[in-house]
Amino acid sequence: MFYFDRSRNKQRIVSLKHKLYFLLICSCFSSSVWANENATPLTINDKKGNWNIQWGYNRSYYTQSDINFRGPGYEYTLKGVDAKDKPESFKADVYLNPSKFEIPQYNIKFSYFFTDRFFLAFGQDHMKYVVTPGQPVKYSGYIDPGVIAKNQMALSLESAMFIYLFPDHVQQMAGYHGGDQTITLTPDILKYEHTDGLNYLFLDFGWITPLYTSSDGLSGISLVSTIGGGPVVCRSDVRVLGKGQNNNFHLSGYGVSGYVATRYEFSRTYFIEFGGKGGYIDLTDVLTSGGSNRASQNFGFLELVLSGGIAI
């Protein structure tokens, strides 16, 4: 009888444990369901912890620039030089071919939102810069006549043809010049391009301001703003007084900038953005015709950028 009662008590304890476990599981499940039912659905304005990745293309515009050239036997400055960008004409084989992504003037940016509104961004603006050929400019400085004679022993093809047709043109650059003289930038005088890249590498602080959000919170329009700066890496194709080369990539200076854009977001995942970036670039160490020959310049710039992106 004693063993029988003890056995019954043990069964009751086991049964009670099972009921408690069952009630605990039900309680957790119901709490989870209640929490899910009462949770506020995420909208495009809930950005904290998100990454944005975007890709786009630009048109670029530049202010006039004084370009200083220096090397053994010469140092002179071309004043008020005009330059423009060099966009690739639209071709599906270029713009839709991932293996040729570096050919157009492109922009790539990665952003991390550390709050719903504020973010840090880093990336690259691949611009192109071409001094307009044929323009007349004033110049000052000194060029040893021996430098011109030496350069004519290693002329580029386009320079050689022009010097053959107009042999006295480049000779005008010899000697001292006070800044009142004018020279036309023909191939025997200068070819100057950053076309394999005026590459602005930036780190920006930014913020986003919602302007309109749809009723379901899945699409809307926002204003995006950033400020920042970073190094500029150039690959410069240069001919100075007829001699030069297409140089390697080189850390040539730095830039600072501000950016404002309008963004349209949809499906909480994708967005399209159109904006403008303005800033200042100071190139203190541009490679030119080899050896210790260098150039330096500074200028303002404006980019118009159309890009698309994804939020993850």
Short mmCIF file of all heavy atoms in Angstrom, two decimals, residues 225-247:
data_model
loop_
_atom_site.label_atom_id
_atom_site.label_comp_id
_atom_site.label_asym_id
_atom_site.label_seq_id
_atom_site.Cartn_x
_atom_site.Cartn_y
_atom_site.Cartn_z
N SER A 225 22.09 64.65 -48.34
CA SER A 225 23.15 65.65 -48.28
C SER A 225 24.39 65.04 -47.65
O SER A 225 24.29 64.26 -46.70
CB SER A 225 22.71 66.86 -47.44
OG SER A 225 21.47 67.36 -47.86
N THR A 226 25.58 65.39 -48.18
CA THR A 226 26.84 64.92 -47.61
C THR A 226 27.90 66.00 -47.72
O THR A 226 27.84 66.89 -48.57
CB THR A 226 27.38 63.65 -48.32
OG1 THR A 226 27.79 63.98 -49.64
CG2 THR A 226 26.33 62.56 -48.37
N ILE A 227 28.90 65.90 -46.84
CA ILE A 227 30.12 66.71 -46.93
C ILE A 227 31.30 65.78 -46.65
O ILE A 227 31.17 64.82 -45.88
CB ILE A 227 30.13 67.89 -45.95
CG1 ILE A 227 29.86 67.40 -44.51
CG2 ILE A 227 29.12 68.95 -46.34
CD1 ILE A 227 30.02 68.49 -43.47
N GLY A 228 32.43 66.06 -47.28
CA GLY A 228 33.58 65.19 -47.03
C GLY A 228 34.77 65.55 -47.89
O GLY A 228 34.87 66.64 -48.47
N GLY A 229 35.69 64.62 -47.98
CA GLY A 229 36.90 64.85 -48.75
C GLY A 229 37.75 63.59 -48.81
O GLY A 229 37.38 62.54 -48.27
N GLY A 230 38.90 63.71 -49.49
CA GLY A 230 39.79 62.57 -49.59
C GLY A 230 40.84 62.77 -50.67
O GLY A 230 40.93 63.83 -51.31
N PRO A 231 41.69 61.75 -50.88
CA PRO A 231 42.77 61.85 -51.86
C PRO A 231 42.27 61.77 -53.29
O PRO A 231 41.19 61.24 -53.57
CB PRO A 231 43.64 60.64 -51.52
CG PRO A 231 42.69 59.64 -50.93
CD PRO A 231 41.68 60.45 -50.16
N VAL A 232 43.08 62.29 -54.21
CA VAL A 232 42.80 62.22 -55.64
C VAL A 232 43.95 61.48 -56.31
O VAL A 232 45.12 61.88 -56.19
CB VAL A 232 42.64 63.61 -56.27
CG1 VAL A 232 42.41 63.50 -57.77
CG2 VAL A 232 41.46 64.35 -55.62
N VAL A 233 43.62 60.39 -56.99
CA VAL A 233 44.61 59.58 -57.71
C VAL A 233 44.40 59.81 -59.21
O VAL A 233 43.31 59.59 -59.73
CB VAL A 233 44.47 58.09 -57.37
CG1 VAL A 233 45.43 57.25 -58.20
CG2 VAL A 233 44.71 57.86 -55.88
N CYS A 234 45.45 60.26 -59.89
CA CYS A 234 45.36 60.55 -61.32
C CYS A 234 46.16 59.54 -62.13
O CYS A 234 47.20 59.05 -61.68
CB CYS A 234 45.89 61.94 -61.63
SG CYS A 234 44.91 63.28 -60.94
N ARG A 235 45.68 59.28 -63.33
CA ARG A 235 46.52 58.69 -64.36
C ARG A 235 46.55 59.70 -65.49
O ARG A 235 45.56 59.87 -66.21
CB ARG A 235 46.00 57.34 -64.84
CG ARG A 235 47.01 56.69 -65.79
CD ARG A 235 46.65 55.31 -66.23
NE ARG A 235 47.73 54.75 -67.03
CZ ARG A 235 47.63 53.62 -67.73
NH1 ARG A 235 46.50 52.94 -67.74
NH2 ARG A 235 48.67 53.19 -68.43
N SER A 236 47.67 60.39 -65.63
CA SER A 236 47.76 61.57 -66.48
C SER A 236 48.50 61.26 -67.77
O SER A 236 49.61 60.73 -67.76
CB SER A 236 48.49 62.69 -65.73
OG SER A 236 47.87 62.94 -64.48
N ASP A 237 47.86 61.61 -68.89
CA ASP A 237 48.45 61.46 -70.22
C ASP A 237 48.91 62.86 -70.63
O ASP A 237 48.09 63.73 -70.94
CB ASP A 237 47.40 60.91 -71.18
CG ASP A 237 48.00 60.52 -72.53
OD1 ASP A 237 49.21 60.69 -72.71
OD2 ASP A 237 47.24 60.04 -73.39
N VAL A 238 50.23 63.10 -70.64
CA VAL A 238 50.77 64.46 -70.77
C VAL A 238 51.89 64.50 -71.81
O VAL A 238 52.73 63.61 -71.87
CB VAL A 238 51.30 64.97 -69.41
CG1 VAL A 238 51.81 66.41 -69.54
CG2 VAL A 238 50.22 64.89 -68.34
N ARG A 239 51.91 65.58 -72.62
CA ARG A 239 53.04 65.92 -73.47
C ARG A 239 53.40 67.37 -73.18
O ARG A 239 52.57 68.27 -73.34
CB ARG A 239 52.70 65.77 -74.96
CG ARG A 239 52.10 64.44 -75.36
CD ARG A 239 53.07 63.28 -75.25
NE ARG A 239 52.45 62.05 -75.72
CZ ARG A 239 51.71 61.24 -74.96
NH1 ARG A 239 51.51 61.55 -73.69
NH2 ARG A 239 51.18 60.14 -75.47
N VAL A 240 54.63 67.60 -72.74
CA VAL A 240 55.11 68.95 -72.42
C VAL A 240 56.19 69.33 -73.43
O VAL A 240 57.22 68.65 -73.54
CB VAL A 240 55.68 69.00 -70.99
CG1 VAL A 240 56.26 70.39 -70.71
CG2 VAL A 240 54.60 68.68 -69.98
N LEU A 241 55.92 70.38 -74.21
CA LEU A 241 56.85 70.84 -75.25
C LEU A 241 57.22 69.70 -76.18
O LEU A 241 58.37 69.53 -76.58
CB LEU A 241 58.09 71.46 -74.61
CG LEU A 241 57.83 72.62 -73.64
CD1 LEU A 241 59.12 73.08 -72.98
CD2 LEU A 241 57.14 73.77 -74.36
N GLY A 242 56.22 68.86 -76.48
CA GLY A 242 56.40 67.79 -77.45
C GLY A 242 56.77 66.43 -76.88
O GLY A 242 56.66 65.43 -77.58
N LYS A 243 57.20 66.38 -75.63
CA LYS A 243 57.65 65.12 -75.05
C LYS A 243 56.75 64.74 -73.87
O LYS A 243 56.36 65.59 -73.08
CB LYS A 243 59.10 65.24 -74.56
CG LYS A 243 59.63 63.98 -73.88
CD LYS A 243 61.00 64.23 -73.29
CE LYS A 243 61.49 63.00 -72.52
NZ LYS A 243 62.79 63.24 -71.86
N GLY A 244 56.46 63.44 -73.73
CA GLY A 244 55.67 63.01 -72.59
C GLY A 244 55.28 61.55 -72.68
O GLY A 244 55.86 60.78 -73.46
N GLN A 245 54.26 61.19 -71.88
CA GLN A 245 53.86 59.80 -71.82
C GLN A 245 52.52 59.68 -71.12
O GLN A 245 52.05 60.64 -70.49
CB GLN A 245 54.91 58.99 -71.06
CG GLN A 245 55.13 59.47 -69.63
CD GLN A 245 56.35 58.85 -68.99
OE1 GLN A 245 57.25 58.36 -69.66
NE2 GLN A 245 56.40 58.87 -67.66
N ASN A 246 51.93 58.50 -71.21
CA ASN A 246 50.74 58.16 -70.42
C ASN A 246 51.24 57.53 -69.13
O ASN A 246 51.71 56.40 -69.12
CB ASN A 246 49.84 57.20 -71.19
CG ASN A 246 48.48 57.03 -70.54
OD1 ASN A 246 48.20 57.64 -69.51
ND2 ASN A 246 47.65 56.20 -71.12
N ASN A 247 51.16 58.28 -68.05
CA ASN A 247 51.78 57.87 -66.79
C ASN A 247 50.98 56.82 -66.06
O ASN A 247 49.82 56.55 -66.38
CB ASN A 247 51.96 59.10 -65.90
CG ASN A 247 52.94 60.11 -66.47
OD1 ASN A 247 54.14 59.97 -66.33
ND2 ASN A 247 52.41 61.13 -67.15
#
